[in-house]
Amino acid sequence: MKAISSVDIVLPVYNEEHCLAQSARQVVKYLDSSVSWVWRIVIVDNASTDRTPAIGRELASQVPQIEMVRLERKGRGYALRHAFENSRADAVMYMDIDLSTDLAHISEVVDLLQVGHDLAVGSRLAATSQVERSIKREIISRAYNVIVTIMFGRACGDFQCGFKAFRRSTVQKLLPLVKDNGFFFDTEIILTARRMRYRIIDLPVRWVEDPDSRVNLLPTILADLAGLIRVRWGFLTDKMYRSRGA
């Protein structure tokens, strides 16, 4: 298996003018001091209506390893799909711009790919994870994982954590099979990877909830449930999911 010498870190953003510059510079500082592989930060703005695009362009003009991409369509999955499809790095990963997940885990997920895993998934629900968040979100997250496990069996420990890394060769084979372009993208790509028998590993994380989260819970929950039903039906009826293929 090819060693990983380059990684694209994708930061999907939507109306994040209040934190983009500071967060991006924190990631740059960590990467400059802590990793040996070649890295690039890809900021993907999906239809922001504030100063996010201008801030992203300014960062890209100041830091050679930052690329700014502007998309005129909303959807976190759409932003990630665009970045993954256009990557030329050995591995790709993404993280939420609020940096809820400790930056030290960037090195750890890449190390897990180096030793043979195809996907590494940050898990807030692992026994050794250190998590600070509201009881409401904790209950919703655990209930969602239970529903997914009942429907599909165990694929990973935390489908919705915005911290995942993939070998590029793996993710680019998965993308044509993943239909969702919203928040369900996270779940669908993991379930598809499990169906295709890729090697998935959980990484316990240190994670602190951002009180300014932009996720609208009720519509997201309903969309996720509809997505689960669609994917379950697809697995039962579509032969293209039955083997990994070339």
Side-chain angles (χ1 to χ4, degrees):
M1 182 172 285
K2 181 181 177 181
I4 293 170
S5 60
S6 58
V7 182
D8 281 351
I9 298 96
V10 182
L11 304 176
V13 293
Y14 174 71
N15 287 351
E16 303 290 356
E17 64 179 7
H18 64 292
C19 68
L20 175 55
Q22 181 179 358
S23 293
R25 292 190 183 283
Q26 283 184 252
V27 178
V28 169
K29 182 178 180 180
Y30 171 80
L31 294 170
D32 267 342
S33 63
S34 304
V35 306
S36 58
W37 28 263
V38 175
W39 55 270
R40 181 177 67 142
I41 295 172
V42 184
I43 300 169
V44 187
D45 172 70
N46 47 323
S48 289
T49 57
D50 64 1
R51 293 189 62 254
T52 295
I55 294 170
R57 287 191 293 269
E58 183 177 357
L59 287 165
S61 70
Q62 296 170 349
V63 182
Q65 298 97 324
I66 292 181
E67 178 182 345
M68 171 64 190
V69 178
R70 165 72 176 183
L71 302 176
E72 299 297 337
R73 175 178 168 184
K74 289 181 65 175
R76 181 165 94 163
Y78 182 68
L80 295 175
R81 183 187 300 275
H82 179 91
F84 294 168
E85 286 177 341
N86 289 280
S87 175
R88 295 295 177 266
D90 297 324
V92 294
M93 66 169 295
Y94 68 96
M95 57 192 302
D96 292 334
I97 194 63
D98 58 22
L99 306 188
S100 291
T101 305
D102 194 306
L103 293 179
H105 297 309
I106 294 176
S107 297
E108 294 172 12
V109 289
V110 175
D111 288 344
L112 291 172
L113 299 181
Q114 291 279 25
V115 298
H117 299 286
D118 297 302
L119 291 76
V121 180
S123 176
R124 299 161 297 183
L125 304 181
T128 56
S129 294
Q130 301 171 31
V131 176
E132 297 179 23
R133 65 171 168 176
S134 66
I135 295 297
K136 176 184 176 181
R137 287 184 177 269
E138 180 78 9
I139 291 172
I140 290 172
S141 183
R142 290 188 179 276
Y144 182 75
N145 262 43
V146 168
I147 292 169
V148 179
T149 301
I150 289 172
M151 293 179 67
F152 296 91
R154 192 186 186 284
C156 75
D158 187 351
F159 291 93
Q160 297 171 313
C161 183
F163 192 89
K164 298 178 176 69
F166 308 76
R167 284 186 168 269
R168 179 173 63 87
S169 58
T170 297
V171 78
Q172 291 189 340
K173 290 176 183 176
L174 292 171
L175 288 173
L177 302 175
V178 176
K179 309 304 180 187
D180 192 79
N181 284 316
F183 285 104
F184 185 68
F185 178 94
D186 298 63
T187 298
E188 187 170 359
I189 201 167
I190 295 298
L191 291 176
T192 304
R194 177 182 180 272
R195 183 74 171 183
M196 306 292 280
R197 299 182 181 178
Y198 283 107
R199 295 172 291 267
I200 305 171
I201 187 168
D202 290 336
L203 172 70
V205 294
R206 293 180 293 279
W207 190 91
V208 179
E209 181 179 65
D210 175 18
D212 189 40
S213 173
R214 306 302 170 85
V215 180
N216 195 329
L217 282 178
L218 183 57
T220 300
I221 290 169
L222 295 176
D224 285 351
L225 293 176
L228 291 173
I229 294 169
R230 172 179 57 77
V231 172
R232 179 61 179 161
W233 178 249
F235 286 178
L236 291 173
T237 60
D238 198 330
K239 64 182 180 181
M240 70 180 176
Y241 294 104
R242 293 177 187 169
S243 62
R244 183 186 303 180

